């Protein structure tokens, strides 16, 4: 398993040279440690890290925790700008006139 450890150290060093400290990311290091110990195969290590990246990406896609409001919530619909179907002078869709 020394070859696995060597590979992991080279990858970590390559990222460190790019000023990215993946060795400080427990989510990355956990599957790497299992792989270098021979507990999991490289495919499983990649699968686990890919799953972690997807999970992190989904949590960042809604950074303000903005979710649809409940039915019946009081919303001032006049404050919501909805594009009209008429092209503006640039050929794009315009916003309705403010009144």
């Amino acid at each position: 398993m020394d070859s696995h450890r060597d590979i992991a150290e080279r990858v970590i060093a390559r990222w460190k040279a790019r000023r990215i400290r993946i060795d400080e990311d427990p989510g990355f290091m956990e599957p790497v440690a299992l792989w270098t110990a021979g507990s999991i195969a490289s495919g499983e290590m990649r699968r686990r890290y890919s799953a972690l990246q997807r999970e992190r990406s989904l949590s960042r896609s809604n950074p303000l925790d903005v979710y649809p409001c409940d039915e019946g919530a009081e919303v001032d619909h006049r404050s919501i700008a909805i594009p009209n179907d008429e092209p503006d002078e640039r050929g794009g869709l315009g916003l309705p006139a403010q009144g």
Side-chain angles (χ1 to χ4, degrees):
M1 297 307 144
D2 286 334
S3 64
H4 286 181
R5 193 175 327 279
D6 293 340
I7 293 168
E9 287 174 1
R10 284 195 310 266
V11 169
I12 290 167
R14 196 175 314 135
W15 282 101
K16 189 183 277 187
R18 296 176 181 152
R19 298 183 181 209
I20 298 174
R21 298 294 310 256
I22 60 173
D23 58 326
E24 293 177 358
D25 180 353
F28 174 76
M29 292 307 296
E30 181 182 333
V32 169
L34 292 170
W35 177 68
T36 58
S39 300
I40 62 173
S42 59
E44 176 64 13
M45 177 183 62
R46 283 190 298 272
R47 188 195 67 72
R48 288 182 185 197
Y49 192 63
S50 292
L52 175 67
Q53 287 177 314
R54 274 192 309 279
E55 180 182 309
R56 288 177 176 175
S57 176
L58 289 173
S59 70
R60 283 191 303 266
S61 69
N62 197 4
L64 300 176
D65 291 330
V66 178
Y67 297 95
C69 63
D70 296 333
E71 285 188 43
E74 295 297 320
V75 176
D76 181 3
H77 294 283
R78 294 171 298 178
S79 66
I80 301 172
I82 301 172
N84 64 26
D85 293 336
E86 300 298 319
D88 64 11
E89 62 275 0
R90 295 171 305 196
L93 295 179
L95 292 177
Q98 298 295 321

